[in-house]
Amino acid sequence: MFRNCYVVHCVTAMGRVGQRLPILIQIIVLLCLCDATAAQLSFSVSEEADKGTVVGNLAKDLQINVNELVKRDLRIVSGNSKTYFDVDLKTGALNVCDRIDREELCPNTAKCSLSIEAILNNPMRLHRIEVQITDINDNAPSFREQEKTLNISESSFTGERYLLPMANDADTGSNSVKSYKLSPNEYFSLDVQSVGQHSESAELVLQKSLDREKKSVIRLVLTALDGGKPARSGTLKIVVYVMDINDNSPVFSQPLYQAQVTENAQFQTSIVTVSATDLDEGINSEIVYSFIERGNFNPETVFSINPNTGEITVIGKVDYEENTAYDIRIQARDKGTPSRSVHGKLLVEVTDVNDNTPEITVTSLMSPVKEDAEIDTVVALVTVTDKDGASNGLTNAKLLGVVPFKLKVNYKNYYSLTVDGSLDRESITQYNVTIIATDEGSPPLSSTSVIPVHISDVNDNAPLFSEPVVNVYVKENSAVGATIFIITAVDPDMEENAKVTYSLIGDFSKNIPITSVVNINSETGDIVSLQSFNYEELNTFQFKVQATDSGVPPLSSNVTVNVLILDENDNNPTILAPYSEHGSINSESIPYSAESGYFVAKIRAVDADSGYNALLSYHLSEPKGNNLFRIGTSTGEIRTKRRMSDNDLKTHPLVVLVSDNGEPSLSATVSIDVVVVESTAEIQTQFRHVPVKEDSFSDLNLYLLIAIVSVSIIFLLSLISLIAFRCHRTDGSFSRYSAPMITTHPDGSWSYSKATQQYDVCFSSDTFKSDVVVFPAPFPPADAELISINGGDTFTRTQTLPNKEKVRMVAL
């Protein structure tokens, strides 16, 4: 026990000098007296001190005579509801009058003190007293729970830490918890670390790998010790449950199981029961039995194994010719995560049936398939197996129907279903690919499997025009700015991928861009002319329109636009030379002796227009009553209609009207004076040549024609007689020929068969080879070819027939 006393003896000093000091000194003493009332005494006492324990002597510390304590009525006043101290007025000692529990007064604090006041009367004095309550080790460490349970997996690594609960001690300082210790064991150690200035924490550290199969529960005791003397302690029971992991594989009871079965064993006949055990527990020890497929043999097609009991029974036909014994691998797999398995061997001896069809197994189906998948993209893996032996076990697989896929052989009976053509989701969203697998047995057996392949959409469709080339017909002289055509493209994609814009590409000529001739509305596709067209200067031109969608990346397509200018009848016929020469006088001369049909002149004219607008016709505009001449409406040739007479004029002015066939019709005229002369020597033309004269049909020509016709008739009659003589049946010239059958099919193909049919044919005696066409109805298709048969069955390919209905010619 100790004490500190802070006493100012102001009262005593004032009593001795009060009457002798000047006024100023008295004021100082009064101030000193005021300070004395704030003086504080400090004592200390241990908690749990016995009643009557002396804490300190107030009379001595306050320097008051013991005899004055009663007179001045010394009292102790406490601020607490409970009084822990009182004063002995006889001795002035401050005593403990009640039990002091520091943990009750000052819980969870490092320092604890009680403040009391000592009051003196006559004169009134107030002294503050602070009593420090010192801690003793009267509390043992304790844990909030009696037992701590830890679930630790047996797969935990050494060095892993597990935090343990902290012990609580109501004491402070050196009497609080200072250390922990762990009961001896081979698996764990204790690591104690300082958490704060006055507390410790403990962690459980794994020192050795756990094995549930050796020890599933580990019991430990954690002891907390305080720093008191003697030390006090508290304990915590720790129960460590080692959690099982799937670290043990199942084990079969036998390394090899053997059984016998006849090929005629009924279904569900039990063969053998396999058994396996697992040292793990719970779900890790639950075992599932199954067969393991090896090579082309799948045990599940013949045998069945109970996944829970391991009983193996017959579920299919056993074929001795296929296998004299079945070497089966059995798998025992536990249900742990991850699961562990073991393989066992079962040898089943069998006796004899060959009735197994190929089996098609589809694995790794990639569905849906993007419609832009490249050629040879693998869609699915296909396995074809056949349990038969020799040729009966050899299989071939192929696809049925026309689909953009193909089967590619990877290895033996393993196939890849790959893309073999372009895919278009907009056309077909799903293909049902049918695979047929056929063995090479006799008779062959086959099986089919349908694989649904879904096609997913990508932006693979460019805008489509209804046709690759568009012909646009525009009348010449049409108005500028008129819409000559509306181009439209359709994109089967959706949303932005189907939003189409139009643009012009290509040049009208090397010097003039197409954009100066026509323009296109990028959104509607309206093509507008930017100039008026003249057919005689430009009758056709070509450009391309590109339609682009808004996809990423954008796709586009082009259409060729042929603009054909339609001719308007805006040009008059033009007379050609010599009758069009400027300043010339058009005149022709004919002899007086000219016969009917005598050639006078030929008018030639052209029209810059085309078609019907350029189709010209010629007409004569003669004086009234003159019917001497006529003109060919299409040739423009002027000829006489009859012989001359004495009443005819010597000069005949003719006006030739040349008209086109347009609407309305345009025309041109030319005037010709025809002069009648007495002799042909006087005939001269403007071109200085003698016009062609059409002579009448002479008697010599008639005789020559009669002779030619007679000779031809005689030759034809002779030829007919010769053929009839050669082909007469009585002479044996007609023979029945057995022709091989050539059969045509609806798809355009044909086949040759040695099965013959009898036909009557005619052979010539002077030829080595005669030709005959032998056809069963209907005739071969248009793409048939000529086939020669040179005796026997030898075929020789000849040229393809040029006509539409081509046939196959059999030459004998």
Side-chain angles (χ1 to χ4, degrees):
M1 187 182 303
F2 66 93
R3 64 180 181 178
N4 294 320
C5 184
Y6 304 95
V7 181
V8 180
H9 302 283
C10 294
V11 177
T12 306
M14 186 178 65
R16 287 197 290 255
V17 299
Q19 298 179 355
R20 294 178 294 177
L21 293 177
I23 299 297
L24 181 59
I25 298 300
Q26 292 181 7
I27 293 174
I28 294 174
V29 173
L30 182 58
L31 293 174
C32 183
L33 179 61
C34 293
D35 289 326
T37 59
Q40 180 172 322
L41 300 179
S42 179
F43 301 97
S44 65
V45 64
S46 297
E47 64 170 330
E48 304 294 345
D50 297 334
K51 294 182 180 181
T53 300
V54 177
V55 178
N57 194 312
L58 294 180
K60 181 178 179 181
D61 290 337
L62 296 177
Q63 296 182 0
I64 301 175
N65 193 322
V66 177
N67 298 329
E68 295 181 358
L69 295 178
V70 176
K71 180 180 177 181
R72 299 191 61 179
D73 191 18
L74 176 61
R75 291 175 301 161
I76 299 299
V77 178
S78 174
N80 297 323
S81 59
K82 190 174 182 180
T83 301
Y84 293 97
F85 303 100
D86 60 4
V87 63
D88 187 355
L89 297 179
K90 295 181 180 181
T91 62
L94 182 64
N95 301 322
V96 175
C97 64
D98 200 352
R99 176 179 175 273
I100 301 175
D101 188 352
R102 192 196 69 82
E103 288 75 28
E104 180 180 353
L105 289 175
C106 307
N108 302 322
T109 57
K111 294 182 180 181
C112 184
S113 63
L114 287 175
S115 296
I116 59 177
E117 295 178 350
I119 301 176
L120 294 172
N121 295 321
N122 301 318
M124 182 70 174
R125 291 291 183 270
L126 179 63
H127 298 276
R128 297 175 60 190
I129 301 173
E130 182 179 4
V131 180
Q132 299 288 336
I133 309 301
T134 60
D135 182 50
I136 64 174
N137 192 19
D138 57 344
N139 291 282
S142 63
F143 292 91
R144 183 169 299 178
E145 49 189 344
Q146 297 295 323
E147 185 176 278
K148 175 68 175 178
T149 301
L150 296 176
N151 295 321
I152 302 177
S153 173
E154 63 177 327
S155 62
S156 300
F157 297 102
T158 57
E160 291 189 9
R161 295 172 174 267
Y162 307 93
L163 185 64
L164 298 176
M166 292 181 58
N168 297 318
D169 195 327
D171 296 326
T172 60
S174 60
N175 295 326
S176 62
V177 177
K178 293 301 181 182
S179 63
Y180 295 89
K181 66 179 182 178
L182 186 66
S183 59
N185 68 94
E186 60 178 323
Y187 294 102
F188 296 95
S189 65
L190 191 65
D191 184 16
V192 181
Q193 298 179 354
S194 296
V195 177
Q197 184 178 1
H198 302 291
S199 62
E200 303 288 338
S201 66
E203 291 180 346
L204 206 61
V205 182
L206 183 62
Q207 298 292 333
K208 182 181 179 181
S209 298
L210 302 175
D211 189 348
R212 189 205 62 81
E213 287 71 31
K214 293 182 178 179
K215 193 168 185 178
S216 60
V217 179
I218 302 174
R219 301 184 183 276
L220 306 172
V221 176
L222 177 65
T223 302
L225 301 172
D226 62 20
K229 294 183 179 180
R232 308 187 70 167
S233 63
T235 59
L236 172 67
K237 294 180 181 180
I238 301 175
V239 181
V240 178
Y241 291 98
V242 181
M243 305 304 295
D244 181 45
I245 63 170
N246 195 22
D247 58 345
N248 290 281
S249 299
V251 178
F252 279 107
S253 59
Q254 299 179 23
L256 174 64
Y257 293 90
Q258 292 181 338
Q260 292 184 348
V261 62
T262 62
E263 64 173 342
N264 296 323
Q266 296 181 355
F267 288 0
Q268 304 304 323
T269 298
S270 179
I271 299 176
V272 68
T273 300
V274 298
S275 176
T277 57
D278 196 316
L279 296 178
D280 296 320
E281 67 174 1
I283 195 172
N284 294 331
S285 64
E286 296 180 10
I287 298 176
V288 177
Y289 301 94
S290 62
F291 288 129
I292 300 176
E293 182 177 351
R294 302 174 65 222
N296 292 331
F297 171 65
N298 184 2
E300 294 182 353
T301 61
V302 181
F303 304 102
S304 173
I305 185 170
N306 190 308
N308 299 321
T309 64
E311 182 183 10
I312 300 176
T313 56
V314 176
I315 62 170
K317 292 183 179 180
V318 181
D319 189 356
Y320 176 80
E321 287 76 21
E322 179 184 353
N323 283 312
T324 59
Y326 289 98
D327 185 4
I328 302 175
R329 293 296 184 270
I330 306 170
Q331 177 178 266
R333 181 181 296 275
D334 59 29
K335 296 181 180 179
T337 304
S339 62
R340 300 174 71 94
S341 62
V342 66
H343 302 155
K345 185 176 182 180
L346 170 63
L347 182 61
V348 181
E349 297 180 0
V350 296
T351 54
D352 194 12
V353 173
N354 186 20
D355 57 351
N356 296 285
T357 59
E359 294 182 359
I360 302 174
T361 304
V362 179
T363 59
S364 302
L365 177 63
M366 184 184 73
S367 183
V369 179
K370 290 186 176 181
E371 61 178 328
D372 63 346
E374 297 180 354
I375 302 296
D376 293 334
T377 299
V378 177
V379 177
L381 300 180
V382 180
T383 304
V384 180
T385 58
D386 194 318
K387 296 185 293 295
D388 296 331
S391 61
N392 295 327
L394 299 178
T395 61
N396 296 306
K398 64 180 181 179
L399 300 182
L400 292 181
V402 179
V403 291
F405 302 96
K406 68 177 180 179
L407 273 181
K408 180 180 179 182
V409 180
N410 294 335
Y411 175 73
K412 292 184 178 179
N413 296 330
Y414 298 92
Y415 300 85
S416 294
L417 180 63
T418 61
V419 177
D420 191 42
S422 60
L423 304 177
D424 188 1
R425 187 200 65 83
E426 289 71 26
S427 299
I428 301 177
T429 60
Q430 176 180 337
Y431 290 92
N432 292 322
V433 181
T434 302
I435 300 177
I436 180 170
T438 306
D439 61 25
E440 298 182 5
S442 180
L445 300 177
S446 63
S447 61
T448 59
S449 177
V450 178
I451 303 176
V453 179
H454 299 274
I455 309 301
S456 63
D457 183 43
V458 297
N459 184 27
D460 62 339
N461 288 282
L464 299 177
F465 293 96
S466 59
E467 50 190 5
V469 177
V470 175
N471 293 326
V472 178
Y473 299 91
V474 182
K475 291 184 178 181
E476 67 173 327
N477 304 319
S478 60
V480 177
T483 299
I484 63 174
F485 194 74
I486 298 177
I487 200 79
T488 302
V490 179
D491 195 321
D493 294 325
M494 299 176 63
E495 298 178 353
E496 290 298 318
N497 296 331
K499 185 178 180 181
V500 180
T501 57
Y502 303 92
S503 60
L504 297 176
I505 59 175
D507 291 338
F508 173 65
S509 67
K510 294 183 180 180
N511 299 324
I512 304 176
I514 189 62
T515 53
S516 65
V517 180
V518 292
N519 189 23
I520 188 170
N521 189 308
S522 62
E523 296 183 356
T524 63
D526 292 357
I527 300 176
V528 179
S529 63
L530 299 180
Q531 67 180 34
S532 181
F533 302 105
N534 188 352
Y535 175 83
E536 287 70 35
E537 296 178 358
L538 175 68
N539 54 25
T540 181
F541 63 92
Q542 184 184 84
F543 61 90
K544 290 184 178 180
V545 175
Q546 184 176 76
T548 306
D549 60 25
S550 300
V552 178
L555 301 178
S556 61
S557 62
N558 301 335
V559 63
T560 300
V561 180
N562 293 324
V563 179
L564 306 175
I565 310 302
L566 299 178
D567 182 46
E568 292 288 319
N569 194 23
D570 57 350
N571 291 279
N572 293 77
T574 302
I575 308 297
L576 298 180
Y579 304 108
S580 62
E581 293 183 3
H582 181 69
S584 64
I585 299 175
N586 301 317
S587 64
E588 294 289 348
S589 298
I590 61 173
Y592 179 80
S593 61
E595 298 290 338
S596 174
Y598 182 86
F599 178 82
V600 178
K602 183 172 184 177
I603 306 302
R604 294 179 175 87
V606 295
D607 196 315
D609 296 322
S610 64
Y612 282 100
N613 296 328
L615 182 61
L616 302 179
S617 60
Y618 301 86
H619 306 277
L620 284 179
S621 176
E622 301 178 290
K624 184 176 180 181
N626 189 343
N627 58 354
L628 182 60
F629 301 97
R630 59 182 174 87
I631 187 169
T633 58
S634 60
T635 62
E637 294 181 352
I638 302 175
R639 296 179 182 271
T640 59
K641 296 172 63 176
R642 56 180 173 80
R643 292 179 58 87
M644 296 288 178
S645 66
D646 295 337
N647 296 328
D648 292 328
L649 299 176
K650 298 300 181 182
T651 300
H652 300 270
L654 301 180
V655 177
V656 179
L657 176 67
V658 183
S659 301
D660 59 25
N661 202 39
E663 288 293 338
S665 176
L666 301 179
S667 62
T669 59
V670 60
S671 297
I672 300 177
D673 292 336
V674 180
V675 180
V676 181
V677 296
E678 292 297 332
S679 64
T680 57
E682 299 177 10
I683 299 176
Q684 293 182 354
T685 64
Q686 199 171 6
F687 295 105
R688 292 175 294 181
H689 70 277
V690 178
V692 177
K693 178 180 179 182
E694 289 188 355
D695 297 329
S696 61
F697 194 80
S698 65
D699 294 338
L700 180 62
N701 293 337
L702 178 60
Y703 297 149
L704 181 61
L705 178 60
I706 294 173
I708 293 174
V709 172
S710 300
V711 172
S712 299
I713 293 175
I714 294 173
F715 176 78
L716 181 60
L717 293 176
S718 300
L719 181 62
I720 294 174
S721 300
L722 179 63
I723 294 174
F725 176 78
R726 291 292 184 182
C727 296
H728 197 271
R729 292 180 180 270
T730 59
D731 296 338
S733 298
F734 278 88
S735 302
R736 297 189 63 84
Y737 171 69
S738 298
M741 190 65 183
I742 300 175
T743 305
T744 61
H745 301 283
D747 59 356
S749 64
W750 61 275
S751 61
Y752 161 74
S753 174
K754 290 186 177 181
T756 61
Q757 293 186 7
Q758 300 295 324
Y759 300 92
D760 290 336
V761 296
C762 178
F763 299 94
S764 62
S765 61
D766 55 348
T767 58
F768 293 101
K769 180 175 67 175
S770 298
D771 295 337
V772 63
V773 180
V774 181
F775 289 118
F779 283 164
D783 59 349
E785 296 178 349
L786 288 176
I787 304 297
S788 290
I789 305 178
N790 299 320
D793 296 332
T794 304
F795 274 63
T796 303
R797 183 177 299 274
T798 62
Q799 66 179 1
T800 302
L801 293 179
N803 60 327
K804 294 185 179 178
E805 293 294 326
K806 298 178 184 178
V807 298
R808 302 185 186 277
M809 180 68 71
V810 180
L812 303 177

